[in-house]
Structures are given as C-alpha cells and as structure tokens.
Amino acid sequence: QEMVTSALQPDGVTLNVLVDTCAAAGDLRRGEAWLSRFPSAGLRPEARSYGSLVDACARLAAVQEASTWFGRMERSGVQATVIQYNQLLHAYASATPPRPVEAAAVFRRMLARGVAPTAVTVATLRRA
C-alpha cells in the first residue's frame, strides 16, 4: 500500500512478485490490478506475470477466467512457455467435470507452437 501512495515506481521484479503473491493468496482482483500497472511503469508483463493469474484461476476452478488470461497473454505478444501451458491444462483437468476436449486442443496448440511437453504436461493431460 505504501508503494501505491508514494512516488515509488515498482520495477518488473517487484510487480511480478506482487502479482504472484496476490494470485497465490487467491486474490485475483488485486493480482489483476498489479498486472495492469506494468505499462504505467514502462514495462511489459511477461509469461510469468500472466501465468500467476492463470494458475490462480485453475486453483479456484475458474476455468473460463484461466482461459481468458491465457488468451490475453497471447494477444499481447507474450509467448507462453511449457509452464503456462501446464497451468492452463491444469485448469481444464481440475474442472468439474474435467474438460478433455479443451485440454487436448490446448495440447495440440502447444505442440504446433514448438513447445515441448514435460512429464507434468503428460500427467495433467491424463487427469483431463
């Protein structure tokens, strides 16, 4: 809060930590607010920034929001790594009921973009 009211301008590391901390606490709105501060700080969010919100949405069973954040990341020109793909796959695998069709589509898109799957990817797909 002190940073918000002072003239201090957070750097990218600080903003990423703030987004991640809020997301880990399940406070998506506050995490989104910190993500929105990147441009005013002259910075661009990175895959990790968006991934924190995708992961939080997955843990909260907010599948549509997870997909929306992943889409925003892609539209902003940020390339997803296997970590962000796994986070989105986790959202589909954790949905009630699981959403295997959407998970398979994400997996195909991941492969088409040259992102190599990991053991986590395979395990997550099995749960979907």
Side-chain angles (χ1 to χ4, degrees):
Q1 183 64 27
E2 184 178 328
M3 187 179 298
V4 172
T5 58
S6 74
L8 293 175
Q9 188 70 283
D11 63 9
V13 172
T14 302
L15 285 172
N16 273 324
V17 167
L18 290 166
V19 170
D20 190 54
T21 300
C22 293
D27 190 346
L28 288 174
R29 299 303 157 236
R30 186 167 283 164
E32 291 168 3
W34 284 114
L35 185 77
S36 72
R37 292 193 56 150
F38 273 81
S40 65
L43 303 167
R44 209 175 131 193
E46 48 195 51
R48 173 185 170 191
S49 315
Y50 287 101
S52 293
L53 295 175
V54 172
D55 189 51
C57 291
R59 285 185 278 107
L60 295 170
V63 178
Q64 188 56 48
E65 278 189 276
S67 179
T68 297
W69 277 110
F70 193 90
R72 287 180 184 171
M73 176 182 64
E74 289 186 312
R75 285 189 302 281
S76 75
V78 175
Q79 299 294 318
T81 70
V82 69
I83 294 169
Q84 289 74 48
Y85 279 106
N86 287 345
Q87 290 165 330
L88 184 57
L89 289 169
H90 178 250
Y92 289 123
S94 301
T96 305
R99 296 169 67 173
V101 172
E102 290 93 336
V106 169
F107 182 66
R108 284 191 300 275
R109 188 167 71 208
M110 175 181 153
L111 294 177
R113 294 197 174 135
V115 178
T118 64
V120 171
T121 309
V122 174
T124 305
L125 281 169
R126 285 188 183 136
R127 289 183 321 169

